[in-house]
Amino acid sequence: MISMTDWWKEAVVYQVYPMSFMDGNGDGTGDLRGITSKLDYLKSLGVDVIWLCPIYESPDVDNGYDVSDYKKISKKFGTMRDFDRLLSEVHRRGMKLIMDGVYNHTSSQHKWFIESRKSKRNRYRGYYIWRPPKGSGEPNNWAAFFGGSAWAYDKRTKEYYLHLFAAAQPDLNWDNSDVREEIYEIIGWWFKKGIDGMRFDAINLISKPPALPDAKATPGQRYANGERYFVNGPKAHRYLKEMNKKVLSRYDVMCVGEINRYGMSMKTLMDYVGFRRHELNMVFHDNSQLDYDESHARTSLERREKRLSWNLDLLKDRITMWQNATYNGGWDTLYLGNHDYPRIVSHFGDDGKYRVESAKMLATFLLTLRGTPYIYQGEELGMTNMKFGSISEFNDVFAINMYKEYARTYKKGEKTAIRMLNELSRDSVRTPMQWDGTRNAGFSKGRPWLRVNPNYKKINASDEVRDNDSVFNYYRKLIRLRKSHKVLVHGKYDIVLREHKQIYAYTRKYGKDLALVVLNFSRKTATFNPPKKLRGRPARLLISNYKSSGRAIEKARLMPYGARVYLLKE
Ligand code: ISL
């Protein structure tokens, strides 16, 4: 797990959200056969690894992140035979497949939980976190991420169980060694089947302090954020080390954790990904910390709102911090969005006039930092956030709860709430993949489970694959470039002109190679005056998102959202 040649370091990952990728049987929901039918497309893009969001049996309260059987494929996605075929077709094309491992919680329909709630003496009782009422209410005041209390009362045994997400997602009790053994067995079962790794959902929430202390609440606040207690909890690292030793280290796999960013510092990050730690290869750690200071947000809803005010200064600081943190003895993920967060071009770029340019600029950013890049489906086409018209069009439990909370707590009108949700909700980024300009964007012959973005006639794979100047073909070129220049994968990162208000520039150094990346994050042209140490060096332009880019780095003028990557000579 520690050499420079680990394959997962040089890999580019593509995230598939199976419900919305491709529908093979016309029922309106994406499925495994659909995915298999699009593998040539992914191969031609140049990605190495496909990450599948959950495809297990699930009642779909949280679209598959509530698993009721870890070894069964959800009927809506197909059968285990479809899965085996997908896996072998992926391998046949020289790609790899990793799956989502959702082990902080199960579905309330999982057989363990069905048993657990039957009686206090049931052998599965200790698989979950049960507590008697405190006074007449919940055992503590923790808020669930999706709104309301993190505790649900179960009449049958007159106790509460803990759920950090929806009530239908009871948290597993990792302090119980039987639970851990079951999980390791399940992970090993999938690895033996031949998958190439896992993405561990919400993995730094697995250890809760047994005393379950109340969180600090502001006056009048009923449920408060308990992250300081359950994020990176007391035994989180002990359990990850155990999992690594008993399962992960026995296979040639890549393991990426999803880490709630509360209290994330350089040290907390390295505790998960340091090569000597023997825990995980890399983690997603800043979903929403990337672009704003969230320290004053009280609820997950407020935190989301704050995203709207991201700024380049903070983005530079964060990225620089993580690049530096992991340079010595660690590795990082590179991503700007996923199935939980806004479309990157809508959020960090401009999804109107400069959609194509800004999508390419962001791609340049993503693919020229040190770490493993993750492309969320549709990002390679410059897909944008969906704009829904009313709450009835949303599907996500979190969006619907956010909407209720807006109405209750913030007294915002419906219009404002929908506007916010369009920018911030998870549904806005989960709309079906836009394959072509035909009905339903070629995603399904049936009625899609979530509305297709009406801009599919303009933004779709079929047109982009053919257009040499498309976002898609720019991604292809960039991926190829990254593969032919190791400096872009492994090189040391150094920020340049930190104070510039429009430009984000950095160098990457690896052996004798020095690359320079210059990105204009604004809608106005910008001039790049290189610092002394870079002046006068002959430069070779490797890629740019505008045609007429000059070759010299001195006084380089960057068009709106312009991006350039140079190789500098001594
Ligand atoms: O604050 C958060 C929620 O608002 C996040 O940091 C949270 O830890 C993260 O969103 C967890 O996400 C993952 O687990 C969820 C699932 O709904 C998401 O889709 C998944 O990415 C529960 O399994």
Side-chain angles (χ1 to χ4, degrees):
M1 264 170 87
I2 47 174
S3 91
M4 284 293 269
T5 56
D6 290 324
W7 57 265
W8 41 265
K9 286 185 180 163
E10 293 182 4
V12 174
V13 184
Y14 187 92
Q15 180 188 356
V16 167
Y17 194 69
M19 285 181 76
S20 295
F21 193 62
M22 180 64 200
D23 178 10
N25 65 0
D27 66 355
T29 299
D31 48 38
L32 298 179
R33 287 188 188 189
I35 300 171
T36 308
S37 74
K38 294 294 184 186
L39 291 178
D40 288 334
Y41 167 84
L42 296 179
K43 183 70 189 171
S44 86
L45 178 60
V47 298
D48 310 281
V49 178
I50 298 168
W51 152 30
L52 286 187
C53 282
I55 53 166
Y56 316 101
E57 189 185 275
S58 161
D60 284 326
V61 170
D62 186 18
N63 288 0
Y65 281 97
D66 47 323
V67 181
S68 52
D69 191 330
Y70 292 104
K71 292 185 184 171
K72 277 210 180 114
I73 302 293
S74 162
K75 282 203 186 72
K76 68 173 186 293
F77 292 132
T79 61
M80 194 56 90
R81 275 184 66 182
D82 295 331
F83 176 81
D84 291 339
R85 176 149 176 267
L86 169 64
L87 183 62
S88 71
E89 290 295 312
V90 167
H91 286 161
R92 198 164 66 80
R93 287 169 177 78
M95 296 188 287
K96 294 183 191 282
L97 186 84
I98 69 175
M99 292 181 64
D100 228 297
V102 190
Y103 305 117
N104 172 68
H105 43 270
T106 67
S107 157
S108 52
Q109 300 303 312
H110 193 287
K111 66 171 192 264
W112 297 337
F113 191 74
I114 292 174
E115 284 300 312
S116 183
R117 75 196 317 179
K118 280 185 181 162
S119 87
K120 290 184 188 165
R121 282 182 310 275
N122 189 285
R123 73 164 277 236
Y124 290 97
R125 187 69 169 182
Y127 273 41
Y128 295 87
I129 302 168
W130 291 96
R131 289 289 186 282
K134 200 163 125 199
S136 58
E138 293 93 1
N140 73 19
N141 68 351
W142 292 357
F145 286 118
F146 295 160
S149 169
W151 295 94
Y153 185 67
D154 206 42
K155 271 196 245 144
R156 195 135 158 203
T157 54
K158 300 193 173 59
E159 285 195 332
Y160 285 88
Y161 65 87
L162 181 71
H163 62 87
L164 294 181
F165 294 91
Q169 294 167 296
D171 280 54
L172 281 165
N173 177 16
W174 276 67
D175 291 334
N176 181 338
S177 58
D178 290 346
V179 168
R180 302 200 303 277
E181 290 305 325
E182 299 250 27
I183 294 171
Y184 305 154
E185 190 274 329
I186 293 164
I187 299 170
W189 187 84
W190 281 101
F191 286 168
K192 276 188 211 111
K193 221 174 185 338
I195 68 164
D196 305 287
M198 266 200 192
R199 174 259 189 198
F200 292 104
D201 188 68
I203 199 67
N204 67 338
L205 308 183
I206 57 177
S207 166
K208 285 89 178 170
L212 303 171
D214 269 329
K216 218 169 117 194
T218 50
Q221 192 186 8
R222 182 147 175 220
Y223 304 119
N225 182 344
E227 284 176 328
R228 64 172 288 207
Y229 297 111
F230 59 73
V231 173
N232 310 321
K235 294 187 179 154
H237 291 290
R238 188 192 295 183
Y239 298 153
L240 281 176
K241 283 191 168 33
E242 180 183 86
M243 176 163 100
N244 182 298
K245 190 164 159 230
K246 293 196 168 176
V247 205
L248 315 187
S249 60
R250 303 193 177 173
Y251 301 84
D252 180 21
V253 288
M254 70 175 266
C255 290
V256 46
E258 188 217 26
I259 299 291
N260 176 303
R261 81 265 121 197
Y262 176 85
M264 189 55 65
S265 66
M266 292 167 66
K267 180 179 178 309
T268 15
L269 172 60
M270 282 300 277
D271 284 348
Y272 287 100
V273 303
F275 300 143
R276 296 218 187 105
R277 300 277 302 175
H278 300 291
E279 294 190 15
L280 296 164
N281 300 127
M282 61 188 109
V283 296
F284 301 113
H285 52 87
D286 45 25
N287 273 339
S288 42
Q289 199 187 24
L290 193 63
D291 44 12
Y292 66 81
D293 183 355
E294 65 174 16
S295 41
H296 302 297
R298 293 181 316 166
T299 62
S300 34
L301 197 131
E302 276 184 26
R303 264 204 306 265
R304 284 210 164 224
E305 282 195 15
K306 285 186 179 271
R307 283 188 69 90
L308 292 174
S309 57
W310 76 274
N311 67 68
L312 186 58
D313 272 351
L314 210 53
L315 181 71
K316 286 183 181 179
D317 277 356
R318 300 280 193 223
I319 296 286
T320 303
M321 173 159 104
W322 306 133
Q323 289 283 300
N324 290 341
T326 47
Y327 184 67
N328 285 314
W331 197 251
D332 208 356
T333 57
L334 305 169
Y335 70 107
L336 293 166
N338 57 31
H339 65 297
D340 289 335
Y341 288 96
R343 284 282 173 193
I344 70 174
V345 69
S346 300
H347 189 67
F348 295 101
D350 174 346
D351 63 8
K353 186 168 173 199
Y354 295 112
R355 186 186 64 86
V356 171
E357 292 79 2
S358 62
K360 291 177 181 174
M361 184 278 287
L362 294 167
T364 316
F365 184 41
L366 193 70
L367 287 151
T368 57
L369 286 167
R370 182 174 176 277
T372 300
Y374 288 74
I375 300 167
Y376 174 58
Q377 67 182 43
E379 222 163 85
E380 78 282 13
L381 305 175
M383 271 178 66
T384 64
N385 279 349
M386 172 69 166
K387 304 240 177 302
F388 295 99
S390 85
I391 190 65
S392 63
E393 293 180 333
F394 287 83
N395 164 280
D396 178 23
V397 54
F398 188 26
I400 290 158
N401 287 350
M402 274 208 287
Y403 181 80
K404 286 187 200 147
E405 226 161 300
Y406 276 127
R408 205 175 38 235
T409 327
Y410 296 90
K411 303 260 179 289
K412 290 191 177 154
E414 173 177 53
K415 268 203 173 141
T416 320
I418 298 295
R419 212 182 57 226
M420 299 289 289
L421 287 180
N422 281 338
E423 301 265 7
L424 300 170
S425 82
R426 308 194 297 182
D427 287 321
S428 308
V429 304
R430 293 177 177 180
T431 57
M433 180 73 178
Q434 294 165 206
W435 291 108
D436 58 38
T438 67
R439 203 171 136 250
N440 297 332
F443 160 72
S444 171
K445 295 209 160 44
R447 189 184 145 88
W449 71 280
L450 192 64
R451 247 183 80 194
V452 174
N453 196 319
N455 63 18
Y456 71 90
K457 294 225 159 93
K458 208 177 96 197
I459 307 172
N460 66 66
S462 153
D463 288 352
E464 293 204 25
V465 166
R466 271 175 286 165
D467 171 6
N468 200 31
D469 289 330
S470 65
V471 179
F472 176 87
N473 278 308
Y474 189 81
Y475 266 88
R476 271 187 82 188
K477 283 174 212 154
L478 264 174
I479 294 171
R480 250 184 283 151
L481 195 69
R482 187 176 171 91
K483 297 213 173 291
S484 51
H485 294 276
K486 286 205 187 298
V487 60
L488 297 178
V489 178
H490 300 288
K492 181 176 188 312
Y493 161 101
D494 272 305
I495 191 159
V496 173
L497 303 185
R498 162 73 190 79
E499 307 303 324
H500 202 293
K501 292 289 167 236
Q502 294 165 277
I503 291 180
Y504 187 173
Y506 46 91
T507 53
R508 305 284 313 281
K509 179 138 185 60
Y510 187 62
K512 280 195 176 143
D513 288 341
L514 183 66
L516 169 68
V517 181
V518 188
L519 310 166
N520 181 357
F521 264 80
S522 81
R523 297 170 60 98
K524 301 210 172 95
T525 51
T527 309
F528 176 72
N529 284 316
K532 236 193 197 147
K533 58 176 184 194
L534 300 178
R535 273 181 229 156
R537 286 194 183 217
R540 178 154 73 92
L541 185 65
L542 293 179
I543 193 164
S544 164
N545 60 348
Y546 279 90
K547 277 208 179 98
S548 55
S549 299
R551 291 182 49 189
I553 60 168
E554 275 77 19
K555 295 235 171 65
R557 265 172 64 79
L558 279 104
M559 301 295 282
Y561 294 105
R564 294 183 198 177
V565 182
Y566 298 95
L567 205 58
L568 302 184
K569 305 209 178 77
E570 292 292 332

